[in-house]
């Protein structure tokens, strides 16, 4: 009853790149393609996207990779979250998206009272502002690379719609945000977010992490890079 969600924030403004694929590759096995849940852009190239994998393999090491059509010049931030207690027949409700340039990021997501809502946010600026989730939300990740900030959170739904909100502060006075969200349908027991990982590279055509989903569906971090500029094909120092 597990579900993997990948949230991706990328800034290719000025030389627009598209997501070619998002995959999970268990160690020694073939890549498994994740399905696009939805995506939204604030202008061309300022992207927030969500991908999903239903019932990911457990108890094996593996790699999650997001590949773009070319070099992304202004930053990529992505994260992976695994959930347990998810309906395997209808795991997700429809995707919702919103864009803006105000200091309040607000997104209304269709939901039912028993759902858990997941959202991911892109924030782009020359000098990145801070981004803070509403107090009712549980922050999963919040990081930056180059001119991109990416973040994600969850919130227990309260009814037919659920509002996800973030506050932007500091940094450049001109900025752009895009937010995407989706409701996760439970099996009956409460949905448990098991773990999440944060990835970021400023200038590369892909972003990759090694993970170990355990038999309970948890994800354990096996990846890290030092801050800085990365050329296509270059890797950072691995940490465990």
């Amino acid at each position: 009853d597990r579900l993997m969600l990948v949230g991706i924030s990328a800034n290719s403004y000025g030389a627009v790149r598209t997501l070619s694929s998002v995959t999970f590759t268990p160690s020694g096995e073939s890549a498994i393609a994740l399905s696009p849940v939805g995506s939204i852009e604030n202008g061309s190239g300022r992207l927030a996207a969500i991908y999903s994998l239903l019932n990911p393999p457990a108890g094996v090491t593996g790699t999650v990779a997001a590949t773009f059509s070319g070099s992304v010049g202004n930053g990529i931030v992505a994260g992976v979250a695994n959930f347990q207690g998810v309906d395997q027949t209808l795991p997700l409700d429809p995707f919702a998206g919103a864009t803006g340039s105000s200091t309040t990021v607000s997104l209304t997501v269709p939901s039912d009272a028993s759902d858990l809502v997941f959202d991911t946010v892109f924030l782009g600026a020359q000098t990145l502002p801070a981004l803070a989730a509403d107090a009712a939300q549980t922050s999963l990740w919040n990081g930056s690379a180059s001119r991109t900030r990416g973040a994600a959170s969850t919130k227990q739904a309260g009814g037919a719609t659920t509002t996800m909100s973030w506050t932007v502060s500091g940094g450049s006075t001109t900025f752009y945000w895009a937010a995407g969200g989706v409701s996760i349908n439970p099996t009956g027991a409460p949905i448990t977010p098991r773990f999440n990982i944060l990835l970021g590279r400023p200038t590369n055509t892909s972003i990759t992490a090694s993970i170990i989903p355990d038999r309970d569906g948890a994800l354990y971090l096996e990846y890290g890079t030092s801050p800085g500029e990365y050329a296509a094909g270059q890797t950072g120092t691995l940490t465990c």
Side-chain angles (χ1 to χ4, degrees):
D1 59 357
R2 299 182 309 279
L3 174 72
M4 178 189 293
L5 291 181
V6 177
I8 302 167
S9 305
N11 191 346
S12 60
Y13 185 77
V16 177
R17 310 300 185 190
T18 57
L19 266 168
S20 303
S21 66
V22 179
T23 61
F24 171 64
T25 306
S27 181
E29 300 183 29
S30 300
I32 303 169
L34 275 72
S35 300
V37 175
S39 63
I40 188 164
E41 290 181 290
N42 187 331
S44 298
R46 304 185 184 105
L47 172 73
I50 300 173
Y51 279 69
S52 71
L53 177 61
L54 193 63
N55 196 26
V60 295
T61 60
T63 301
V64 171
T67 302
F68 288 78
S69 60
S71 180
V72 176
N74 296 308
I76 307 167
V77 176
V80 182
N82 218 33
F83 301 88
Q84 190 174 22
V86 178
D87 188 313
Q88 299 292 286
T89 302
L90 185 64
L92 300 170
D93 288 335
F95 175 87
T99 63
S101 56
S102 66
T103 56
T104 300
V105 177
S106 183
L107 171 67
T108 301
V109 182
S111 63
D112 297 306
S114 58
D115 292 350
L116 185 70
V117 180
F118 171 89
D119 75 330
T120 192
V121 178
F122 161 86
L123 178 65
Q126 185 170 357
T127 301
L128 285 172
L131 184 64
D134 182 80
Q137 295 163 214
T138 299
S139 181
L140 298 181
W141 63 82
N142 190 333
S144 63
S146 188
R147 296 183 179 183
T148 296
R149 181 172 296 281
S153 70
T154 58
K155 180 182 179 180
Q156 186 62 47
T161 61
T162 299
T163 299
M164 308 295 281
S165 61
W166 301 71
T167 301
V168 180
S169 61
S172 296
T173 56
T174 300
F175 52 82
Y176 304 89
W177 56 261
V182 67
S183 292
I184 307 170
N185 295 317
T187 56
I191 299 169
T192 306
R194 302 295 298 176
F195 205 75
N196 63 83
I197 60 178
L198 174 67
L199 327 167
R201 282 190 188 171
T203 56
N204 210 340
T205 59
S206 68
I207 190 165
T208 303
S210 295
I211 59 171
I212 304 174
D214 72 9
R215 295 189 183 278
D216 292 326
L219 288 170
Y220 293 98
L221 182 63
E222 273 201 347
Y223 172 89
T225 61
S226 302
E229 297 286 324
Y230 291 88
Q234 181 182 349
T235 59
T237 302
L238 289 174
T239 60
C240 295

